[in-house]
Amino acid sequence: MAKADYYNVLGVSRGANEAEIKAAYRKLAMKYHPDRNPENKSAEAKFKELSEAYGVLSDKEKRTAYDQFGHAGVDGQGFGAGGFSAADFQSTFADVFDDLFGEFTGGRRAGPRGGGQRGADLRYNMAITLEDAFRGRQATIRVPGSIVCEACRGSGAEAGAEPTVCGTCRGLGKIRSQQGFFTIERTCPSCHGQGRVILNPCRTCAGAGRVQREKTLQVTIPAGVEDGTRIRLAGEGEAGLHGGPSGDLYIFLSIKPHRLFQREGANVHCRVPVPMTTAALGGTLEVPTLGSERARVTIPAGTQSGYQLRLKSKGMPIMRSSRMGDMFVHVVVETPLNLDRRQRELLEQFRASEGKRTSPESEGFFAKVKEFWEDLKE
C-alpha cells in the first residue's frame, strides 16, 4: 500500500516553514496521541503516521531528499524502515513533546534542575475599619511560615558544601525508559525530581533549606479599598525548598460593619433621625462624615420619613482616581416620646385644629380605605 504524502498527512503546503510544520504536527499529535485515545488502534496508527511525516519534514536534509525523490529519498530514515533510533526520536521530538506533556500532565516536562522547589503561596485575612478603608494606612502583621535558612543560605547543604548532581538521573530529575515506540518518564527516586542530592545536609534545617519562623511585615492599605480586596506581597510566602524561590503572600481584606455608615461601592449612606418638629417646621442639622468634619444640611419644612439628601463627594475615595463617591442622608422622622403634661396639651390642641391640608397623605389614604369598604358592601 502506497504511503500518503507527508505534506497531506500534516495538512500543510509544500512551501510551509518550520514553524508551520511544527504547529500542524503539535495540533494533530495532541488529538491522536495514544494517551488521549486509549485502546484506539486507528488513533495509534494515525499518530505513528503523523510522527513519521514530522520526523522527515522537520529535518532539512531529509525534507530536501523527500522533495526531490519522494518516499524513495528517505527510505531507511523513517519510522517504518526501522532506521530511526530512540536517540533520534528524542532529539527530533523533544521540544514538541515538552508542549505535549505540558498539556497531558498540567505542567512542563522537567529539564535540568537549576534550583529547588518554589515555596507555597500563603493567605492572610485582615479585618479593617471603614475609616481605614477611607484614609488608607500602614499596617503591621505577623505571619507564621518559613524563611530561608541563614546557616546554609537556602541550599540545604552544610556550610561550605554544595549539593551535587544526582548520579541516577544526571540532574534531569526524571528517568526515561524506552517501551517500544514510546518513551516513558518518571520522577527520579534518588533526588525526588530535584536533580541534585545533598550528601552533607545542613544541621539547622535538616537539608530543607528553610526553617519555620514568624515574620513581621508592613502592609500598605490604599485609600478606597473595598471588601474582598486582595493585596499581593511578592516573595513573602513560604520559602522554597533547597534554595527555590519563595511563594507569595496574599492579604484578603474585609471591612468591619460601621455603627453609623453603610457602604455601597464608592457611596456611603447614613440614617439620621429628625425630630418631628424639625421635620414639620424645617431647620438645619449637622451630620458626621467619614472625613471627620461635620456637614450642615437643610431640612425642608414638611419633610417626611425616607427623604434623602445627597452630599456630593463626601463618600469613599475611588481607587486609582482623584474622584470621590457621595454621601446620602436618609431622614427618619422621629415621633416624640415621654411627653410631659404641657407638651400633651399642645399636641391635643394641634390635633383638634389639623385638617386635610395638614396631613394630606393620611387623609387621602383613609379616603381610599373608605371607598374600598363601600365597594365590598355592594
Side-chain angles (χ1 to χ4, degrees):
M1 183 176 179
K3 289 184 179 181
D5 182 86
Y6 286 153
Y7 290 100
N8 292 337
V9 170
L10 295 179
V12 296
S13 67
R14 287 189 170 269
N17 58 35
E18 293 180 8
E20 291 171 335
I21 291 172
K22 180 180 177 180
Y25 172 69
R26 183 180 185 276
K27 179 180 179 180
L28 293 169
M30 289 175 63
K31 179 179 180 181
Y32 292 103
H33 194 283
D35 287 351
R36 289 191 169 181
N37 302 274
E39 301 181 4
N40 187 334
K41 296 298 182 181
S42 61
E44 182 179 346
K46 181 65 175 177
F47 180 74
K48 289 181 180 180
E49 184 182 39
L50 291 167
S51 298
E52 180 179 341
Y54 180 71
V56 171
L57 299 185
S58 63
D59 185 288
K60 291 183 178 179
E61 293 183 3
K62 294 176 184 177
R63 182 179 181 182
T64 300
Y66 179 76
D67 288 344
Q68 291 179 347
F69 306 106
H71 291 291
V74 292
D75 279 349
Q77 300 184 56
F79 286 95
F84 204 73
S85 68
D88 294 332
F89 174 86
Q90 292 176 0
S91 174
T92 302
F93 294 85
D95 56 344
V96 178
F97 274 19
D98 275 341
D99 294 334
L100 291 178
F101 274 93
E103 294 289 341
F104 297 146
T105 63
R108 299 283 294 182
R109 270 200 311 173
R113 294 297 193 260
Q117 181 180 340
R118 182 183 185 275
D121 294 334
L122 296 178
R123 172 174 179 149
Y124 185 91
N125 297 324
M126 178 187 293
I128 62 174
T129 65
L130 189 59
E131 288 85 354
D132 291 336
F134 177 81
R135 300 185 182 90
R137 72 178 180 96
Q138 290 286 328
T140 301
I141 62 174
R142 299 181 68 85
V143 182
S146 61
I147 62 172
V148 175
C149 176
E150 296 179 356
C152 65
R153 298 182 180 179
S155 70
E158 191 62 40
E162 291 291 337
T164 59
V165 175
C166 176
T168 304
C169 65
R170 298 183 181 180
L172 291 175
K174 299 282 187 179
I175 295 178
R176 294 176 179 175
S177 60
Q178 193 73 23
Q179 295 184 7
F181 177 75
F182 299 103
T183 298
I184 307 300
E185 286 191 346
R186 59 188 178 90
T187 302
C188 175
S190 299
C191 65
H192 304 290
Q194 295 300 314
R196 302 181 303 168
V197 292
I198 300 172
L199 301 178
N200 188 17
C202 172
R203 286 173 290 184
T204 302
C205 65
R210 63 186 184 186
V211 293
Q212 295 296 314
R213 187 173 301 172
E214 191 175 63
K215 293 190 292 186
T216 301
L217 301 172
Q218 295 294 321
V219 182
T220 299
I221 300 174
V225 293
E226 297 190 30
D227 194 81
T229 295
R230 186 183 71 173
I231 298 174
R232 173 176 172 260
L233 299 184
E236 295 296 350
E238 291 277 3
L241 279 171
H242 310 301
S246 297
D248 300 330
L249 173 65
Y250 292 91
I251 299 172
F252 287 79
L253 301 178
S254 61
I255 300 177
K256 301 175 184 177
H258 197 276
R259 60 182 178 274
L260 292 179
F261 302 106
Q262 293 80 43
R263 180 179 182 176
E264 186 180 42
N267 299 325
V268 293
H269 300 263
C270 184
R271 181 177 177 274
V272 179
V274 174
M276 182 188 69
T277 51
T278 303
L281 301 175
T284 59
L285 292 176
E286 285 189 343
V287 296
T289 66
L290 278 170
S292 297
E293 74 272 13
R294 297 179 180 180
R296 183 175 291 274
V297 297
T298 300
I299 306 297
T303 294
Q304 305 294 315
S305 281
Y307 182 77
Q308 185 173 287
L309 295 155
R310 178 186 178 191
L311 303 181
K312 190 173 178 60
S313 299
K314 293 296 183 181
M316 296 291 295
I318 299 174
M319 289 183 64
R320 294 179 289 277
S321 172
S322 59
R323 297 183 296 116
M324 302 280 290
D326 300 329
M327 175 176 166
F328 293 88
V329 175
H330 299 265
V331 172
V332 179
V333 178
E334 185 178 19
T335 301
L337 300 172
N338 304 317
L339 300 175
D340 61 24
R341 183 176 179 179
R342 176 57 180 163
Q343 290 170 330
R344 291 186 65 85
E345 290 176 353
L346 291 173
L347 284 177
E348 290 289 352
Q349 293 176 18
F350 175 76
R351 181 164 62 178
S353 63
E354 66 179 337
K356 294 182 180 180
R357 293 186 58 190
T358 308
S359 304
E361 188 172 344
S362 175
E363 290 290 336
F365 173 77
F366 286 108
K368 292 177 183 178
V369 170
K370 183 178 180 181
E371 293 175 359
F372 174 71
W373 283 338
E374 290 176 351
D375 291 341
L376 291 177
K377 294 177 181 178
E378 294 180 358

